[in-house]
Amino acid sequence: KPDVIIHMAAIGDITLCAENPSLAYRTSAISTLNLLEAIRINAPDTLFLSHTTDKVYSGNETPFTEDMSLRPSHIYEVAKVSQEHLTRTYAKNYDLKTITIRCGNYFGGYDFNFSRIIPYAIKQNLNNEVIELRSNGSFTRDFLYIEDAVLVNQILIDLHFNDLIDFYGDAFNFSLEINLSVHKIIELICEIMEKRPLITINDGANTEIPDMQLDCRKSRTKLGWERKFGLEEGLDKTIHFYRDYFNG
């Protein structure tokens, strides 16, 4: 009977999800069903914080707002949207204390998935190696520094235990609310690192969402949320982490 469950299970590699759709669905959606059933039967007062993704907004115009219709087209998105439907349904039908968290692309130290643009670009730059883009570089993304992502959980936990939540079942956006191209984020990283490696374009990313930006007005209004870390400050801390890591 835990006080809080923070559910972050996912297959984060989109290619792996496409190659293993059953695994992707079980990891995000079926795990959610199992957790919610356990809470319903054994611990109905447990706070359930369910992390999904900004990718659930696939097909919508930016900036993304929480009231948009969700029309997933990739198995990763399908699994995450199913996770959200379950979380909302258990709040509505069984009075469970659930909240869905949708964040921009996380970045920060300890991310060793080097297929992700920020850790990959930093690693290649530190090692004086070519940065090879899998898109044409024009795709735009929104971001959230990892320490801000952690603090989101704490805000919701504090509100819950102070009986200040009357919106269980809702979803909330959290991000820097920026619309930054892949080219621009790489340029910013190179500027901070004062290094500029060769950049090549592969342009084979035909299944990725071209533009992403979250609108976080609901989080600011209902939760009193404000980010603590800007993009450049977060990148600077992230670069320092990987520089120390690769230096042993």
Side-chain angles (χ1 to χ4, degrees):
K1 296 186 177 182
D3 295 313
V4 182
I5 292 176
I6 301 173
H7 178 31
M8 299 184 291
I11 303 298
D13 186 324
I14 303 301
T15 301
L16 181 59
C17 287
E19 294 171 349
N20 298 271
S22 178
L23 175 63
Y25 195 84
R26 290 198 312 271
T27 303
S28 290
I30 301 303
S31 66
T32 303
L33 178 62
N34 292 339
L35 285 167
L36 289 169
E37 269 294 275
I39 294 170
R40 181 183 70 84
I41 295 167
N42 300 299
D45 292 325
T46 294
L47 175 63
F48 184 69
L49 301 180
S50 178
H51 286 253
T52 59
T53 174
D54 53 358
K55 310 301 185 296
V56 298
Y57 291 113
S58 173
N60 283 290
E61 295 293 323
T62 58
F64 302 141
T65 58
E66 292 89 343
D67 58 355
M68 286 179 166
S69 297
L70 304 181
R71 304 185 297 273
S73 59
H74 188 283
I75 186 60
Y76 175 79
E77 300 159 11
V78 170
K80 286 301 184 183
V81 170
S82 297
Q83 177 178 338
E84 293 207 3
H85 286 323
L86 285 164
T87 303
R88 184 169 56 252
T89 297
Y90 270 75
K92 179 179 179 180
N93 293 339
Y94 303 109
D95 199 30
L96 296 194
K97 312 300 191 293
T98 72
I99 295 174
T100 291
I101 296 168
R102 300 170 180 164
C103 292
N105 285 11
Y106 297 130
F107 70 101
Y110 295 97
D111 182 357
F112 301 115
N113 179 1
F114 290 107
S115 66
R116 289 160 53 83
I117 186 61
I118 289 179
Y120 170 71
I122 295 171
K123 178 179 74 71
Q124 297 299 97
N125 211 338
L126 286 170
N127 294 330
N128 298 308
E129 296 178 352
V130 174
I131 296 177
E132 182 177 346
L133 303 185
R134 62 174 181 258
S135 71
N136 61 17
S138 65
F139 287 4
T140 62
R141 293 292 179 262
D142 201 351
F143 295 92
L144 186 68
Y145 182 60
I146 193 63
E147 291 186 43
D148 267 325
V150 172
L151 291 172
V152 164
N153 297 294
Q154 190 61 58
I155 289 168
L156 292 168
I157 290 168
D158 290 344
L159 290 171
H160 169 75
F161 284 105
N162 285 292
D163 296 320
L164 296 175
I165 294 182
D166 60 0
F167 42 76
Y168 294 112
D170 276 15
F172 291 89
N173 291 339
F174 303 93
S175 78
L176 294 174
E177 296 182 280
I178 59 176
N179 193 252
L180 205 63
S181 72
V182 171
H183 266 312
K184 186 64 179 177
I185 191 69
I186 290 174
E187 286 179 8
L188 189 54
I189 289 169
C190 291
E191 181 181 318
I192 294 171
M193 298 180 73
E194 299 181 338
K195 295 178 68 176
R196 187 167 297 277
L198 178 65
I199 299 172
T200 64
I201 294 176
N202 186 23
D203 201 10
N206 52 15
T207 62
E208 293 192 19
I209 302 169
D211 295 297
M212 305 188 72
Q213 182 183 13
L214 294 169
D215 182 318
C216 302
R217 283 176 292 179
K218 180 180 177 183
S219 295
R220 290 196 297 272
T221 301
K222 281 199 166 187
L223 307 178
W225 177 77
E226 292 290 344
R227 63 163 177 81
K228 296 186 180 301
F229 298 90
L231 179 63
E232 291 195 25
E233 181 184 4
L235 283 175
D236 188 63
K237 290 167 71 69
T238 304
I239 290 165
H240 272 86
F241 169 84
Y242 288 110
R243 184 174 284 124
D244 289 345
Y245 174 77
F246 284 109
N247 284 336

